[in-house]
Amino acid sequence: MNRFIPLLVLCNFFVSSCQQESTLDNRVVSKVESIQLDQKYPTNVTRLLKGYPDIVVDYVDNYIIFWDSTIFLYNDSMIKNESELLSNPDIEDMFHYQYTLNKDHDSLPPSSDPGRIRNNEFFNKVYGASKKEVEDNLTEVIWCPTLVNKLIRVNTKNGAAEAFVKVSNELDQHPEFANYVSSIGGTFNYRNIKGTNRLSMHSYGVTIDINVSKSNYWQWDSRSTDEKMVGKYKNSIPLELVHIFEKHGFIWGGAWRHYDTMHFEYRPELITNIK
Ligand SMILES: [Zn+2]
């Protein structure tokens, strides 16, 4: 592979120049630095490697490499409009809008949809490529044992179930949130997003809708599934509750211009803290 060539050059360099060792230090250092630069991943690839540590194992020549040696194209280099980003994203497009942590969305309503761009082939690979495959990967977790005490089904892959347990246990310490985290709207449900032919993230068991009666959804407010019909941002979910989810790897649908404030989705690649 190409990336091994500089290393080979460096070995030859050492063999041929061992007599002049003391005068060649600087050249050796610059060679080593160039190898490290060659091997450095794009920032968003590093986010994938950190967010899916046992699943995405490497990146070579614009291809993501999975644990089983399957490879997926990372960046198709196509320029896409808002609708094409939703309907035909590559893996790189999932990072098109940056998700910002601990943001005060009530004071500054979102102007984009960070995390709403999803490459379903990627999530099929991670969590299961059919209803049956996903179901085989599910486990049961008790949601907020003290405040709610309800069994939910979540995915065991990539630490998702563990993340649900952590969020649940932390929320359980906040009785002031009981009305928000009870009467939950849904977790695992293999289905398309309403008004589209795109698979919902609820299909993978990595998503929870909290109390619907405390939530706002752009499609209900605008009485339309037309993306262009989105109206003024609305939210009544406390941001402190949102920040607990974010701390454990979940993004929030209230961070989207096309808001869905009941919706929390396990997306560790978008929460990973890399500058
Ligand atoms: Zn949802």
Side-chain angles (χ1 to χ4, degrees), residues 186 191 200 202 207-209 260 262-264:
R191 62 171 170 83
S200 159
H202 285 279
T207 296
I208 186 167
D209 288 340
D260 180 0
M262 72 197 92
H263 180 95
F264 291 90

Side-chain angles (χ1 to χ4, degrees), residues 227-240:
E227 293 273 319
K228 295 187 190 73
M229 296 301 287
V230 62
K232 192 173 181 304
Y233 180 76
K234 287 181 190 167
N235 171 47
S236 60
I237 304 292
L239 294 176
E240 197 195 333

Side-chain angles (χ1 to χ4, degrees), residues 84-149:
E84 290 163 339
L85 281 168
L86 283 171
S87 62
N88 186 30
D90 60 24
I91 296 174
E92 186 259 348
D93 290 328
M94 298 204 293
F95 299 94
H96 185 81
Y97 307 116
Q98 191 180 347
Y99 192 91
T100 307
L101 291 174
N102 300 318
K103 206 171 160 187
D104 179 358
H105 303 278
D106 292 341
S107 308
L108 190 64
S111 58
S112 66
D113 292 331
R116 204 162 162 255
I117 311 296
R118 311 169 181 102
N119 179 291
N120 278 116
E121 284 158 10
F122 178 82
F123 294 111
N124 287 346
K125 185 74 192 165
V126 177
Y127 296 114
S130 65
K131 186 173 185 225
K132 166 84 172 60
E133 268 189 43
V134 175
E135 280 176 337
D136 287 346
N137 291 332
L138 297 181
T139 187
E140 287 184 329
V141 162
I142 302 174
W143 178 247
C144 297
T146 313
L147 299 179
V148 185
N149 195 31

Side-chain angles (χ1 to χ4, degrees), residues 15 21 43 57 61 71 75 81 87 92 97 107 117 127 132 151 158 168 215 243-244 253-256:
V15 171
E21 212 172 290
T43 304
V57 297
D61 295 338
I71 59 171
N75 185 356
N81 62 28
S87 62
E92 186 259 348
Y97 307 116
S107 308
I117 311 296
Y127 296 114
K132 166 84 172 60
L151 279 179
N158 199 48
S168 167
S215 304
H243 299 159
I244 291 172
W256 303 334

Side-chain angles (χ1 to χ4, degrees), residues 2-272:
N2 287 346
R3 65 200 182 104
F4 293 123
I5 293 171
L7 196 60
L8 199 64
V9 171
L10 184 63
C11 294
N12 288 336
F13 177 74
F14 269 116
V15 171
S16 63
S17 59
C18 56
Q19 305 294 322
Q20 309 162 42
E21 212 172 290
S22 61
T23 60
L24 291 175
D25 285 355
N26 289 341
R27 286 170 60 188
V28 172
V29 167
S30 73
K31 275 277 179 194
V32 170
E33 278 175 353
S34 79
I35 290 170
Q36 285 169 345
L37 280 177
D38 285 348
Q39 293 183 342
K40 198 174 169 193
Y41 301 110
T43 304
N44 290 333
V45 169
T46 306
R47 289 192 168 102
L48 285 171
L49 287 159
K50 288 196 166 195
Y52 299 84
D54 302 322
I55 290 172
V56 176
V57 297
D58 204 355
Y59 166 87
V60 177
D61 295 338
N62 198 26
Y63 282 89
I64 295 293
I65 303 176
F66 290 83
W67 82 96
D68 61 355
S69 303
T70 309
I71 59 171
F72 280 13
L73 183 70
Y74 173 64
N75 185 356
D76 61 17
S77 300
M78 286 164 63
I79 308 288
K80 294 165 194 168
N81 62 28
E82 214 171 302
S83 138
E84 290 163 339
L85 281 168
L86 283 171
S87 62
N88 186 30
D90 60 24
I91 296 174
E92 186 259 348
D93 290 328
M94 298 204 293
F95 299 94
H96 185 81
Y97 307 116
Q98 191 180 347
Y99 192 91
T100 307
L101 291 174
N102 300 318
K103 206 171 160 187
D104 179 358
H105 303 278
D106 292 341
S107 308
L108 190 64
S111 58
S112 66
D113 292 331
R116 204 162 162 255
I117 311 296
R118 311 169 181 102
N119 179 291
N120 278 116
E121 284 158 10
F122 178 82
F123 294 111
N124 287 346
K125 185 74 192 165
V126 177
Y127 296 114
S130 65
K131 186 173 185 225
K132 166 84 172 60
E133 268 189 43
V134 175
E135 280 176 337
D136 287 346
N137 291 332
L138 297 181
T139 187
E140 287 184 329
V141 162
I142 302 174
W143 178 247
C144 297
T146 313
L147 299 179
V148 185
N149 195 31
K150 182 179 165 46
L151 279 179
I152 60 170
R153 288 204 294 166
V154 295
N155 206 300
T156 54
K157 296 289 179 183
N158 199 48
E162 286 92 336
F164 272 99
V165 169
K166 284 180 187 163
V167 169
S168 167
N169 288 343
E170 186 162 348
L171 289 172
D172 217 24
Q173 309 301 312
H174 290 268
E176 72 275 22
F177 295 152
N179 287 337
Y180 295 96
V181 298
S182 56
S183 306
I184 50 176
T187 50
F188 170 67
N189 184 1
Y190 204 89
R191 62 171 170 83
N192 284 345
I193 299 170
K194 196 177 164 214
T196 77
N197 56 10
R198 290 180 281 120
L199 202 58
S200 159
M201 288 299 282
H202 285 279
S203 307
Y204 299 111
V206 295
T207 296
I208 186 167
D209 288 340
I210 59 171
N211 193 342
V212 176
S213 70
K214 300 279 181 194
S215 304
N216 296 96
Y217 182 36
W218 73 273
Q219 288 192 0
W220 295 342
D221 290 339
S222 66
R223 293 167 202 243
S224 172
T225 57
D226 182 348
E227 293 273 319
K228 295 187 190 73
M229 296 301 287
V230 62
K232 192 173 181 304
Y233 180 76
K234 287 181 190 167
N235 171 47
S236 60
I237 304 292
L239 294 176
E240 197 195 333
L241 183 159
V242 172
H243 299 159
I244 291 172
F245 271 98
E246 289 177 340
K247 193 163 104 183
H248 298 295
F250 290 77
I251 61 166
W252 177 44
W256 303 334
R257 186 165 70 88
H258 293 86
Y259 54 90
D260 180 0
T261 70
M262 72 197 92
H263 180 95
F264 291 90
E265 174 175 326
Y266 183 60
R267 294 289 295 282
E269 78 278 22
L270 299 179
I271 299 292
T272 306

